[in-house]
Amino acid sequence: PGAGSWRRTRGGRMAAILSYRHVFGVKANVKDGLHYLDDFVVVYSAGHHVVKYNIESKVQEFINGSEGSRGITALAVSPSKTLIAVAEDCLDGAHVFVYHARRLFRQKSLATPEVESGQYVSLSFSPDEALLLSLGAAPDWRLVCWHLDSGKPLAIHQVTSTPELVMEGCSFCPTNPTKLAVWGSSVLKFLSLEDDQRISVLPHSSRFTERPAQTYLAHCWLPDDLSVVATASGDLLLFRRELFECVLSSSPSASAESEADAGPAEVLVPYEGGFLTGGAHGLVRLFAPSDDEGVYFRRTRRFLLRDAAEHNARIHTVAVSPSQDSLAVMTGGADMLSLDLTRALKKEETRFTRIGAGTHGPPRDRDEGWGPGDPSAAAAVTGLDVCTRKPLIATTGIDGCLRLWNYVEKTQELCEPFGEVLLCVALHPSGLQALVGFSDALKLCNILLDNVVPAREITIKNCREARFARGGHLFAAANGFLIQVYDAFTCDLLVTLRGHSSPVRSIRWAEDDETLTSAGLDGAVYRWSWRSGKRVSEFVNKQDSYTAAESTQDGVTAYAVGVKGFLEEVEFASGSSRHAVAHDVVHGQLALSSNGRMLFSGWADESLAGCVASYAIPIDADAPDVVTYPAASAEVTRMMLTHDDTHLVVAGADGSVLVMEVRDKEGRIPLREASARLPWADEVLMTKGLLEEMATSITKLSEKYEELVSNNDYNMRMKEIQFQERMKKVQERYQAELDQEKTQLQLLKEETEDLQREYGDRLTAMEVAHRAELQKREAMYQAEIMGEVSRFQQLKAEWDASGAEQRAIRQRLVDDHERHMSVVRQAQDEKLAAAQQARRDHEKSNADRLKDWRETQGQMEGDLEEEVEEMKRTYQTKHEFEKTTILRYRSENGVLTKKFEALKQEIEEQEEEIRALKDAHGKREKLVADLRLQIKARVAAISEKDGKIGDKEKQIYELKKKNQELEKYKFVLDYKIKELKRQIEPRETEIQAMRKQIKEVDAELEAYHKVNAKMDEQIGELRAELDALQAAISRGRGTVRSRKSQAEALQSDLEELSSLILDPPKLRAGILAVHARHVPKDLVVARADGVVVSEYAKQEQYLAENLKTLSAKLARTTAVNASEMERTVRRNLALIADVKELRTRIASLREDRSRVGSVPAAAAAA
């Protein structure tokens, strides 16, 4: 039905399809809510979604939250960046969903009834990505280790039995998947995942247990079996192999330079052998390994957010890109910021830049902002409107900011803080003005280029609803129970509409701006004519309080939603309504398309995530066509369609603003009329003073630019002259040194030839002496070898004689042992057969008793269930009858108010009947309680029988103990197993060596990649220089062509003058004419400076030679890199083949080990 929809109820018509386009906002109360997938893609939570955001292209992809969820509580990304784990607080318990990071489809759904809490507060993947660790919340604080392939819990461990303690997180060791860590209030545990699927606690050293209990905020694994733990007191504790080592001397509590530095570290992230910390006051610290004795880590850098002095600058999430070139942080004010670490470490740029378009944050008086586990409804959007002539969305929130969003370019155009809670906003169709509701007044503001300036004030306090007419010449505002219509240009009050008896919550203008529809908490829906100030149509339902209403363009039908959970379809002509759709959640907002065929409603249930429901009009009450889409993580506070009905904008109490594209049932975008397809306007408002300041600054900058250009040209010419002089001196010096080196080289060659002749004579003499000594030694060793051969033959004969005697003795001993073993084995077999027969008899008797007990239990449960179901059906029938009767009487009471006195006695009789029914209902409840007591008694009887079964199992266990006597024969097999293990160890050593060799080759390949990147940069620079030279050549060619055409014209004029050479007067007049034609009047003849001309020629010659040299160097480097790359590829292929062979050997060794391991098991069974 649509991208990301949950469910669809099929009716006679098809509802409109919504597809997600962009979400503005961040859900900052998610544990580890920000991760990098690669250097340009981040993953975070926004609304009721997990967003995959490309920082460069600003494209978002969505993982939707599940149905029946209260929100997302934690995120985790696998080490290879291929899996995303999402923890959600669902109605049926805590769930973890695992998604594919690239395709975003769900792979696993993990849930277990053993976790009592409704949510998980932390997630972590194992380094091999085969396991997932999740930490449940209070009251049980259970740690669950999931096996991802099977989707079942591998081990469960209760961290603490004290529900008042708060756990902060859990993690896997990145190098050892059997090591775990969990930390929180007064709890820091290092755990081990055993082979028997059990989690055991590793003991702390006495040095750590003697320390006072603290709140442990964060933990981080480091190389060399190190780990760091941050405490609430500002200490950084160092552990080695899970044992306490020391408190780092560079801890914030010990080395703070200011009050901001003294704040504790609330998040720890490993970085290049050290770690990064984040915490309060917007401070990020970098700790690097230290070479000083006793000082393990030293703080090397600190980075401060540019708005750290403002509120909500607490950093609670830090992420580092895979290349470790970028750093991303999430603050308590729901801001995501990034820092280029490469430039920051070089001290070139330490400014954080915003990721995304910003978001509405928590209230101004909340200094630390959000954190993991905080309520999501802390940044509610209180006002929303969409511009007609510009792609702008205006929102206000409890953070006191007015924000303008561009939903086409996906950016935040403007953010204007006012310092107090804003209640509503209405945007003028031109996008140049906005109505903003304050607690003391309603203000008409001008939207300038970079700020918002209040222009006029209207004395309406606590205005929560205001709307501009579609033409922009009027606006209506809710003033308590009244609706006031004003002239948009003069702000004069035109009319006051009276009729509501409770605050007005919804105002909608008609298409022609002649009528408007309002709804209030008094259950009234009115359609007004503002010119007459009277109601055209009305509907009142005192049993409900309406929060939103929409009317069709013809004014015949209206749709309203309220706190009762019904979508009411109102017929103004008859003054009646019907429940078009009944919901089990509260709907708070409505949006109706201009053609009246598409209707959308937003959930406002505080216990569920906010969603949007799409309906097809007309609505079939028996089988409505509705599609539900997840939107915000809290209730939907505002919702509106754009003027052309192509986009639906939804705002939630979590500060998120979601833009969804609307399509019809065939997937087409609806377009209303030609006027709806006008191009966007680009006008902006500017004050005259600002315009004059910009003109003055442009003039000053232009003058400064011209001055800089002239100074730069002069400096460049002077530097070129100095450079040429220095080059000449350097060339002369190097030429003299080169001549001197050539002379020394010649002398060394002559010395080398003399030494070669001398050492040749010596080698000849040594070879002659060596041959003589070799012959002498061969003769001597030949005699010794013959003596040893004869001695070997004698010893072999003696060995054969003694071997025959030993074999006979060994054969006798083996025969005696086999006879003894046969006797012992026969006796043991008889004992074992008797024990097995007794065990079978006991099992048979136990099975018969268990069968009888189960039959009795099944009969009792069936009878009890039938009785309970019969009583439940009877009670439900009466309850439905009572409910229907009450509703009918209430509706009659609302319609027949004039007959109240006549029907009062009848109502009292009905109330007595209701009380009698309630008494009967109480008796039924007592009967159900008695039946439950009987069920408990039956359960007690069942537990007694379970005790008897346990006794029988103890007898079986005693028989098993007798079988353990056979284990004394295992020592022979154990010896063989040890021998095989000793054979496996050399192979494992070879595998480790090959892995090390593979890592070295990978490092070499990475170095080659870096060299290629540098060469690519050099090629780009050379190409830029070549392009500049080609541009200069083309300009010179144009000048030559123009000069050539002038010369040809002059030549033709001179040829004509040659014919007048015999007529001097005409010749003189012709020469003057030619002079006037070819020589400009303002020509100033100047001679070129000879030094400049010669320097220009030298520079041109030098650049040509330099270009040739660089081209040759580029060709040589490209050839060398190609050959190196080919050699590296061949080495990699060879290494891959070796690795495959080693893996085959390992598999065969494991099979041998498994076969050897099965032998003891077979012996034990025998």
Side-chain angles (χ1 to χ4, degrees), residues 83 100 162 254 293 322 449 638 876 907 1112:
L83 298 175
H100 192 278
T162 306
E293 184 177 357
L449 185 62
R638 296 283 179 169
Q876 286 179 349
I907 291 172

Side-chain angles (χ1 to χ4, degrees), residues 31 147 154 190 192 198 207 219 377 522 604 643 836 956 1014 1028 1033 1044 1077 1106 1155:
K31 178 68 174 177
H147 193 277
L154 186 67
F190 292 100
S192 177
R198 181 175 56 85
R207 293 176 56 198
H219 171 269
D522 55 354
H643 72 285
Q836 289 177 349
I956 294 170
K1014 291 181 179 177
I1033 290 169
K1044 187 175 180 181
R1077 188 181 304 118
N1106 191 14
R1155 286 197 297 271

Side-chain angles (χ1 to χ4, degrees), residues 88-122:
E88 294 191 40
D89 182 5
C90 299
L91 294 177
D92 56 348
H95 282 69
V96 179
F97 303 103
V98 182
Y99 297 87
H100 192 278
R102 185 170 62 87
R103 299 180 181 176
L104 304 183
F105 64 85
R106 184 183 293 179
Q107 290 187 341
K108 291 290 181 181
S109 176
L110 310 177
T112 176
E114 298 187 34
V115 177
E116 298 177 6
S117 61
Q119 59 180 332
Y120 291 109
V121 298
S122 182

Side-chain angles (χ1 to χ4, degrees), residues 486-607:
Y486 290 84
D487 187 288
F489 302 105
T490 62
C491 292
D492 293 335
L493 178 62
L494 301 179
V495 66
T496 299
L497 307 178
R498 293 179 172 85
H500 286 282
S501 59
S502 292
V504 178
R505 286 290 179 261
S506 175
I507 298 175
R508 295 291 186 272
W509 285 90
E511 191 79 15
D512 56 1
D513 290 340
E514 291 295 326
T515 60
L516 55 87
T517 304
S518 65
L521 298 180
D522 55 354
V525 178
Y526 296 140
R527 189 162 175 265
W528 308 83
S529 172
W530 71 270
R531 293 186 183 277
S532 62
K534 297 181 180 180
R535 287 175 286 195
V536 178
S537 306
E538 63 179 83
F539 170 77
V540 179
N541 180 11
K542 296 294 185 180
Q543 307 302 322
D544 205 346
S545 297
Y546 293 133
T547 57
E550 290 280 358
S551 174
T552 57
Q553 295 303 319
D554 55 8
V556 176
T557 306
Y559 299 92
V561 291
V563 298
K564 295 295 185 180
F566 296 105
L567 173 60
E568 300 279 354
E569 183 177 355
V570 178
E571 296 290 342
F572 283 124
S574 60
S576 62
S577 68
R578 68 182 182 92
H579 297 331
V581 179
H583 293 283
D584 53 357
V585 295
V586 177
H587 286 233
Q589 295 296 320
L590 277 181
L592 181 65
S593 63
S594 300
N595 57 15
R597 297 177 182 176
M598 298 181 293
L599 180 65
F600 306 96
S601 67
W603 291 10
D605 198 325
E606 295 181 356
S607 62

Side-chain angles (χ1 to χ4, degrees), residues 862-1115:
D863 296 340
L864 290 174
E865 287 177 357
E866 289 178 358
E867 292 178 4
V868 171
E869 289 296 325
E870 182 63 25
M871 293 175 66
K872 186 177 180 180
R873 284 194 297 270
T874 304
Y875 168 73
Q876 286 179 349
T877 302
K878 292 185 177 181
H879 182 69
E880 290 295 328
F881 173 76
E882 294 169 4
K883 186 176 180 180
T884 305
T885 304
I886 291 170
L887 289 174
R888 186 174 66 251
Y889 289 154
R890 287 182 178 177
S891 61
E892 291 176 357
N893 184 37
V895 176
L896 305 175
T897 53
K898 295 181 181 180
K899 299 180 180 180
F900 173 77
E901 295 296 331
L903 297 176
K904 185 175 181 180
Q905 186 64 31
E906 184 179 355
I907 291 172
E908 291 176 354
E909 293 175 358
Q910 293 294 335
E911 288 177 350
E912 291 176 359
E913 184 179 354
I914 290 170
R915 285 194 294 270
L917 292 173
K918 287 182 178 179
D919 295 336
H921 171 60
K923 293 179 181 179
R924 296 293 184 183
E925 286 184 343
K926 290 181 180 179
L927 181 59
V928 170
D930 295 336
L931 291 174
R932 287 178 179 173
L933 293 174
Q934 294 179 9
I935 291 172
K936 288 182 180 179
R938 299 293 184 183
V939 170
I942 291 169
S943 63
E944 291 178 359
K945 292 188 177 181
D946 287 338
K948 294 180 181 180
I949 293 171
D951 295 335
K952 298 297 181 181
E953 288 179 350
K954 288 181 180 178
Q955 295 176 4
I956 294 170
Y957 176 74
E958 292 176 356
L959 293 174
K960 286 183 179 179
K961 289 180 64 177
K962 294 180 181 180
N963 294 334
Q964 293 178 356
E965 296 176 356
L966 296 173
E967 292 180 356
K968 62 183 179 180
Y969 300 107
K970 286 185 179 180
F971 70 95
V972 176
L973 298 175
D974 291 337
Y975 176 78
K976 292 182 180 180
I977 291 170
K978 291 178 181 178
E979 288 290 330
L980 290 173
K981 286 183 178 179
R982 282 196 293 269
Q983 294 177 6
I984 291 171
E985 288 177 356
R987 298 296 180 87
E988 292 179 347
T989 305
E990 293 177 3
I991 292 169
Q992 294 295 331
M994 293 301 293
R995 286 178 178 173
K996 184 176 181 181
Q997 188 176 2
I998 291 170
K999 290 181 180 179
E1000 293 175 354
V1001 172
D1002 290 338
E1004 292 178 2
L1005 184 59
E1006 184 66 23
Y1008 288 139
H1009 287 321
K1010 291 182 179 178
V1011 172
N1012 288 336
K1014 291 181 179 177
M1015 293 304 298
D1016 289 338
E1017 292 177 358
Q1018 293 178 1
I1019 291 169
E1021 293 175 357
L1022 292 174
R1023 285 177 177 171
E1025 292 179 2
L1026 185 59
D1027 293 339
L1029 290 174
Q1030 287 179 351
I1033 290 169
S1034 62
R1035 290 194 298 270
R1037 286 176 178 172
T1039 305
V1040 169
R1041 285 194 295 270
S1042 64
R1043 294 287 187 267
K1044 187 175 180 181
S1045 62
Q1046 292 176 5
E1048 289 176 353
L1050 181 59
Q1051 183 179 0
S1052 63
D1053 292 341
L1054 291 176
E1055 289 176 355
E1056 292 177 0
L1057 290 175
S1058 63
S1059 62
L1060 304 175
I1061 195 168
L1062 298 177
D1063 191 353
K1066 292 184 179 180
L1067 179 61
R1068 178 180 178 83
I1071 290 171
L1072 292 174
V1074 170
H1075 182 273
R1077 188 181 304 118
H1078 294 284
V1079 179
K1081 295 180 180 180
D1082 55 350
L1083 177 63
V1084 179
V1085 180
R1087 292 184 180 180
D1089 190 1
V1091 177
V1092 174
V1093 173
S1094 62
E1095 288 297 330
Y1096 176 81
K1098 290 179 182 180
Q1099 186 69 16
E1100 183 178 6
Q1101 183 180 1
Y1102 169 76
L1103 290 175
E1105 292 175 357
N1106 191 14
L1107 178 61
K1108 292 180 181 178
T1109 304
L1110 291 175
S1111 300
K1113 184 178 179 181
L1114 175 62

